[in-house]
Amino acid sequence: MRRGTVGSLIAIVVIALGAFVATLAVGNSPQLGLDLQGGTSVVLQPKDPATRGVLNQSIEIIRNRVDALGVAEPDISRLGDNIVVQLPGVKDADRALEIVGQTAELRFRPVVGELPPENAPPPTTSSTAPADPAATTTTTMNPATVPTTTREEDLPDKPVVLPELDEGRVVRRYQLGAAEMTGRAVATARANFTAEAGQWAVDFELTGEGAEQFDAMAAKYLQRQIAIVLDGVVQSAPVIQQADFNGKGQISGDFTEREAKDLALVLRYGALPVELEPQSTQRVSASLGKDSLRAGIIAGLAGLALVLLYMVLYYRALGLVVLFGLTIWGTLMWTIVSFLGETSGLALSLSGAVGIIISVGVTVDSYVVYFERLKDEIRSGKTIRSSVDRGFSRAFRTILAADIASFIGAALLFILTVGSVRGFAFFLGLSTLLDVVVAWFFTRPLVVLLGRNRLFTEARWLGVARGLAATPAGGAS
């Protein structure tokens, strides 16, 4: 036997088992998708008509926000004029959905006056404290009757009345002038705990053009209040203390740590170009996902056991080659899926599991093609020993053609589809590639090894010769 044949067999066994053991040792395992571990799926619809480009831009921004939340393998795709967001295994679904759908339009507006919550009891004394002496207001009699500006009327070039919230409750409202600048001027943002004030705040840095706009606004409104408004809610209304900020600023307020980090996150990845409304929200419980996973594993193992039993009964010792080959194939698959799950967020969904199960059938077909070609060679009068190489060479062309056809189909599905079908296509394509690798580097050298050993060719019950319907006398000659 040539050294290269044995070498490839040893190499793939060492690589497959070594990588599998290393994967288990570091604690990696395949990430499970929404339907296998539970999670949340939401369909978002633009409030106003949006072009495909706007939707694609929204998808990229949402994906960046979700990635920052640490959600493994979020599936964010466009379905017609809607955006479908699937978040597998997310622990705080409400928080994730709030961040995903938040428009995050940041505006800086001058404060004209302060008002009590809408419909609050009339104050015994006037609570109006106009920040702009030149501004006129008619709310001194009963400022609580001044209506809050609706989202539809909250336009950047119009004066508005917007609330400030504390734990979802309106604590005060502000009369605000037209926006002086927007969050597009923000280059990056991060949450920090300020020890001096004992509270969380969001530090932001401005773009070059944004820094000039901010300094101009600061000079115009020096020693006056500027409200920082996010999605129609006043986050903070600090007094401008200086006219030069050098491109950096801070949003302070009564933030919790989570609120500060969420605000920094949405500012860092920008505002959505269109307002999105949730049309439907589906929550898949973890127990339902586990039931699906358990049923899939049982079905897969039962099917695999029956296939292997059939192969052993029909091909005898060559059936064991199928068993070992599928073991190598399975360890490589586990390692690759685990690695991609850790590094790229790949998740195994139910459709992906179906793709793997179907590919097991494709892999077993490759063994059948090879073994039947061996039979043809032996029927033509050749020995097992002389047939294994020739039989594999001819069978491999058929195996390669079939795998290429499967791979092309999987690639087209992956490129042209979205959602679960795409996951199915990915795992089918990956399985097909592994089938070619295992056939060349494992199956061929192992069958050659068995075909040249009398112990395996002439054994009474499991002999290769019996599996190939050849006479033992010609087995290892």
Side-chain angles (χ1 to χ4, degrees), residues 417-432:
T417 61
V418 297
S420 59
V421 179
R422 209 164 184 232
F424 167 83
F426 177 84
F427 284 99
L428 179 61
L430 177 60
S431 303
T432 304

Side-chain angles (χ1 to χ4, degrees), residues 128-257:
T128 303
D132 186 351
T136 59
T137 177
T138 59
T139 60
T140 52
M141 294 302 293
N142 188 3
T145 59
V146 177
T148 302
T149 304
T150 63
R151 290 294 297 269
E152 290 76 13
E153 296 172 338
D154 181 15
L155 301 176
D157 58 343
K158 301 291 184 184
V160 293
V161 175
L162 297 176
E164 181 180 350
L165 306 180
D166 183 14
E167 297 181 351
R169 184 174 59 87
V170 178
V171 292
R172 65 183 62 86
R173 297 181 299 154
Y174 289 94
Q175 285 181 300
L176 306 172
E180 292 288 334
M181 56 185 294
T182 69
R184 295 179 182 176
V186 177
T188 185
R190 60 183 177 277
N192 284 319
F193 183 78
T194 55
E196 297 81 3
Q199 62 183 10
W200 283 88
V202 177
D203 295 326
F204 61 87
E205 296 183 11
L206 300 163
T207 62
E209 183 180 355
E212 295 179 2
Q213 293 177 353
F214 197 88
D215 286 347
M217 179 184 68
K220 183 178 178 181
Y221 295 99
L222 189 63
Q223 300 301 325
R224 293 167 60 186
Q225 280 183 291
I226 290 292
I228 301 172
V229 183
L230 179 71
D231 284 351
V233 177
V234 176
Q235 303 295 323
S236 178
V239 176
I240 300 295
Q241 301 287 358
Q242 60 192 61
D244 187 4
F245 284 82
N246 293 322
K248 297 180 180 178
Q250 185 182 76
I251 303 175
S252 58
D254 191 19
F255 295 126
T256 64
E257 178 181 0

Side-chain angles (χ1 to χ4, degrees), residues 31 150 228 267 298 304 311 332 339 393 398 409 429 443 450:
Q31 301 285 345
T150 63
I228 301 172
L267 291 179
I298 292 174
L304 186 61
M311 295 299 287
L332 288 173
F339 176 76
S393 298
T398 304
T443 306
L450 294 178

Side-chain angles (χ1 to χ4, degrees), residues 278-365:
Q279 293 299 300
S280 65
T281 302
Q282 178 186 10
R283 299 177 191 270
V284 180
S285 70
S287 58
L288 182 60
K290 289 179 180 177
D291 290 342
S292 300
L293 180 60
R294 187 183 306 110
I297 291 175
I298 292 174
L301 291 178
L304 186 61
L306 290 175
V307 168
L308 290 175
L309 178 62
Y310 172 78
M311 295 299 287
V312 170
L313 292 177
Y314 195 78
Y315 291 110
R316 308 303 171 91
L318 290 178
L320 298 178
V321 174
V322 180
L323 172 62
F324 296 141
L326 287 177
T327 301
I328 295 298
W329 179 89
T331 55
L332 288 173
M333 175 66 78
W334 181 279
T335 301
I336 293 173
V337 173
S338 300
F339 176 76
L340 293 178
E342 290 295 325
T343 58
S344 303
L346 174 70
L348 176 63
S349 63
L350 198 57
S351 59
V354 172
I356 293 176
I357 292 173
I358 291 178
S359 64
V360 170
V362 174
T363 301
V364 173
D365 283 346

Side-chain angles (χ1 to χ4, degrees), residues 28-85:
N28 289 346
S29 61
Q31 301 285 345
L32 300 181
L34 176 69
D35 46 7
L36 292 180
Q37 65 167 321
T40 301
S41 173
V42 61
V43 178
L44 300 171
Q45 185 181 57
K47 198 170 184 179
D48 300 313
T51 64
R52 176 176 295 186
V54 169
L55 290 176
N56 290 337
Q57 184 183 355
S58 300
I59 289 174
E60 286 303 315
I61 293 174
I62 291 174
R63 180 171 287 115
N64 288 332
R65 293 180 182 179
V66 172
D67 288 344
L69 290 173
V71 178
E73 185 57 11
D75 189 355
I76 305 166
S77 58
R78 183 169 53 81
L79 185 62
D81 292 332
N82 297 331
I83 295 175
V84 181
V85 181

